[in-house]
Amino acid sequence: MQMNDSQRIPASRNQVWAALNDPDVLKQCIPGCQSLEVTGPNEMTATVIFRVGPVKATFGGKVTLSDLDPPNSYRISGEGSGGVAGFAKGGALVRLESESADVTVLHYEVDAQIGGKLAQLGARLINSTATKLVGEFFKSFADVVSAKAEAQ
């Protein structure tokens, strides 16, 4: 499944870039994130709990940042296993564009795949849940970053 959209964030491009690389900000914004820890340069491990229809699963996995072009863009990729619920993997190409000195437009293109019990729930349910989770992340991210920018 693929999704793309953009989010207008009232903060400078450098502030948005710094937040995109801050594990504490990412943990705060990822829906259901229980832990997010840096394990190496551009690598993190994460534990996320979420519900899709009747299936609630805890996913543990790895997150990698690649194709870094600071402070313009990068690719964030992840894959995890939720035991009997199945697996999920995917990534997002994130690109920042300055609208003005104090406003950044964050563009994203997400590609995700799932398998196992989750995949049996049906494409409509999966797509609507994924769209909701991605939207929640980027809205929360915009709120956190703009609050930090206002505080500075």
Side-chain angles (χ1 to χ4, degrees), residues 6 8 22 29 33 57 68 95 97 106 116-117 136 138 142 144:
S6 60
R8 194 171 177 272
D22 183 336
C29 299
C33 187
L68 281 87
R95 185 174 52 84
E97 178 184 334
L106 184 153
K117 195 178 224 179
E136 284 177 11
F138 283 106
V144 168

Side-chain angles (χ1 to χ4, degrees), residues 11-88:
S12 73
R13 187 187 329 199
N14 286 333
Q15 289 169 318
V16 175
W17 180 260
L20 281 171
N21 290 280
D22 183 336
D24 293 331
V25 171
L26 295 175
K27 179 183 177 192
Q28 187 176 347
C29 299
I30 296 170
C33 187
Q34 302 300 301
S35 69
L36 184 67
E37 299 174 18
V38 175
T39 56
N42 305 322
E43 288 190 0
M44 296 171 257
T45 58
T47 302
V48 178
I49 298 173
F50 68 87
R51 177 180 295 278
V52 179
V55 178
K56 180 178 177 184
T58 300
F59 282 81
K62 185 169 96 169
V63 177
T64 305
L65 306 179
S66 60
D67 302 332
L68 281 87
D69 179 16
N72 303 308
S73 64
Y74 72 22
R75 173 170 293 285
I76 184 167
S77 306
E79 58 183 87
S81 174
V84 295
F87 71 88

Side-chain angles (χ1 to χ4, degrees), residues 1-5 108-112 127 130-132 134:
M1 94 193 69
Q2 296 182 327
M3 298 166 265
N4 57 38
D5 203 352
Y108 60 90
E109 298 173 24
V110 176
D111 182 23
N127 286 342
T131 300
K132 177 179 169 245
V134 168

